[in-house]
Amino acid sequence: MKHITLLYPEGQCNLSTIACIVGTVEIFSRAEALWQQRGNKKKYRLEIACIVPHKKCVSHFVALTPDICINNIAKTDLIIIPSAMPGEDTADSREMFDWIHSQYKAGAEIASMCSGAFILASTGIMDGRSCSTHWSFEDRFRSLFPKVNLHSGKLITDENGIYTNGGAYSFLNLVIYLIEKYYDRQTAILCSKIFQIELERNSQSAFAIFTGQKQHNDEIVQQAQTYIENNIEEKISIENLSSRFSVGRRNFDRRFIKATGNTPVEYAQRVKIESAKKALESTRKTINEVMYAVGYSDVKAFREVFKKITGLSPLEYKNKYNREASVLQ
């Protein structure tokens, strides 16, 4: 029988942490029960592990008592890190990072949920590897962990025994993914039906709200960002934009990428598509009207960029998020 460790990272928890823990325990418990009902032997034992062995209250109405202290776990097969933002770098947190790192070196696999990716990245294991987290933490994550290959649009990454997932309650999709890995496809399908969790969802891009990285000190880039955002209807030439600020194109691109994490072209596309998304969500405008309003004249190009950024076509997005549009279908 193999062992799963579900971490309870003291000092870094909130209600999302508890939601991840409770949901994971419930679904894995059902998976184990379904597995044994088919005549199989018990496959996994799951324990909630903490750093300090005592009850911790997350808020005035929620408390959780872990099963075991990490110091008492000599070997585990899978470590699950729930949603949790890193707090101060204390002796306890460093002990947790070291324990995760040593277990991974000993052969354990690791899965992080939502902002639990910050804890995983703090171990140093993720340098040079693919990772996902909640789209709203993208800028902060990139600034803290520049060596990690962040894919903020992906719902789940799977690389060399490390699994990460996107934001909030999408941790449920990761749990189903892990159940298929650790049990089998049949058990995963049954769990997805029982708990009504969509199978094989692979993107969180449609949920993202693009605001642009503004926490930098490059005044020229900030002015360029403002120009792009205030002139959505224009078909912006990056050559003209760089010359407007008396900066060479190559230097302008380099500065823009360093400051925002996007090329000027990517930034303009994301600003335009964010405006298009809002129009599709809340107005009766046709796809073509929205397209022209954000500076596109080629339907194919607009559709390709829109789908690249959101994972959906403009029509699919409108039908999904505009109630009036879906009623009129």
Side-chain angles (χ1 to χ4, degrees):
M1 183 173 61
K2 296 191 175 182
H3 186 268
I4 297 173
T5 300
L6 179 51
L7 280 181
Y8 178 72
E10 292 97 332
Q12 304 179 41
C13 300
N14 52 29
L15 288 177
S16 293
T17 310
I18 295 299
C20 288
I21 291 173
V22 172
T24 301
V25 169
E26 183 176 15
I27 299 171
F28 262 95
S29 296
R30 181 59 67 92
E32 183 64 45
L34 291 168
W35 178 257
Q36 292 187 47
Q37 284 170 15
R38 285 155 48 202
N40 298 304
K41 293 182 179 179
K42 185 174 177 64
K43 193 164 190 178
Y44 287 96
R45 179 168 59 95
L46 187 151
E47 290 185 304
I48 302 171
C50 61
I51 308 166
V52 181
H54 58 79
K55 182 184 289 187
K56 285 283 185 177
C57 293
V58 174
S59 74
H60 67 283
F61 67 95
V62 177
L64 182 146
T65 304
D67 300 306
I68 192 170
C69 179
I70 58 173
N71 289 333
N72 295 325
I73 301 175
K75 186 180 185 306
T76 190
D77 297 286
L78 172 66
I79 300 167
I80 300 176
I81 306 170
S83 174
M85 294 301 294
E88 295 181 8
D89 189 11
T90 64
D92 285 344
S93 64
R94 289 193 296 274
E95 180 182 351
M96 176 175 60
F97 300 154
D98 290 343
W99 182 82
I100 294 170
H101 192 277
S102 64
Q103 289 290 332
Y104 179 68
K105 291 297 184 183
E109 295 193 325
I110 308 174
S112 72
M113 297 169 165
C114 189
S115 53
F118 283 80
I119 292 175
L120 177 56
S122 295
T123 67
I125 292 170
M126 296 305 293
D127 289 357
R129 292 180 174 170
S130 298
C131 183
S132 184
T133 189
H134 196 289
W135 56 262
S136 66
F137 299 138
E138 178 178 0
D139 292 339
R140 183 180 177 189
F141 190 93
R142 288 189 190 280
S143 66
L144 288 174
F145 307 109
K147 295 181 181 180
V148 179
N149 299 327
L150 183 64
H151 300 279
S152 58
K154 286 190 175 182
L155 192 72
I156 295 172
T157 67
D158 177 345
E159 183 179 341
N160 298 326
I162 298 178
Y163 315 95
T164 69
N165 94 284
Y169 283 73
S170 68
F171 81 86
L172 296 168
N173 299 95
L174 177 62
V175 173
I176 295 297
Y177 186 86
L178 292 173
I179 284 169
E180 181 171 355
K181 285 267 185 178
Y182 280 75
Y183 289 90
D184 58 15
R185 177 73 173 177
Q186 183 179 352
T187 305
I189 290 172
L190 285 171
C191 285
S192 75
K193 290 181 176 180
I194 292 168
F195 294 100
Q196 300 184 42
I197 303 168
E198 185 179 350
L199 273 175
E200 297 177 348
R201 200 181 120 212
N202 56 21
S203 175
Q204 63 174 346
S205 296
F207 298 95
I209 301 171
F210 182 69
T211 56
Q213 165 63 288
K214 305 289 179 61
Q215 303 302 312
H216 59 81
N217 298 316
D218 193 321
E219 188 175 341
I220 294 296
V221 172
Q222 288 178 345
Q223 291 177 27
Q225 288 175 276
T226 300
Y227 183 87
I228 291 169
E229 292 162 7
N230 290 342
N231 296 275
I232 291 172
E233 73 286 351
E234 287 188 19
K235 187 174 182 179
I236 296 173
S237 163
I238 305 304
E239 290 285 354
N240 292 342
L241 187 61
S242 61
S243 63
R244 172 183 289 271
F245 298 104
S246 302
V247 180
R249 173 63 192 271
R250 182 175 294 181
N251 187 34
F252 182 72
D253 283 357
R254 180 186 58 77
R255 288 172 63 171
F256 206 100
I257 293 169
K258 182 179 179 181
T260 71
N262 298 114
T263 67
V265 170
E266 289 169 345
Y267 193 88
Q269 288 176 338
R270 295 192 68 174
V271 168
K272 288 174 180 292
I273 297 306
E274 190 61 37
S275 179
K277 285 164 57 182
K278 291 175 182 175
L280 292 171
E281 291 167 13
S282 58
T283 73
R284 294 186 177 185
K285 290 181 179 179
T286 66
I287 303 297
N288 281 358
E289 287 172 332
V290 171
M291 176 186 73
Y292 293 133
V294 297
Y296 281 88
S297 56
D298 184 323
V299 176
K300 183 180 178 183
F302 176 66
R303 187 187 300 116
E304 287 177 352
V305 173
F306 194 99
K307 188 158 189 176
K308 177 184 176 183
I309 290 173
T310 69
L312 301 171
S313 72
L315 182 59
E316 289 170 336
Y317 190 91
K318 184 175 184 179
N319 289 339
K320 187 179 182 71
Y321 289 108
N322 190 312
R323 181 176 294 177
E324 284 191 9
S326 62
V327 169
L328 292 172
Q329 288 293 312

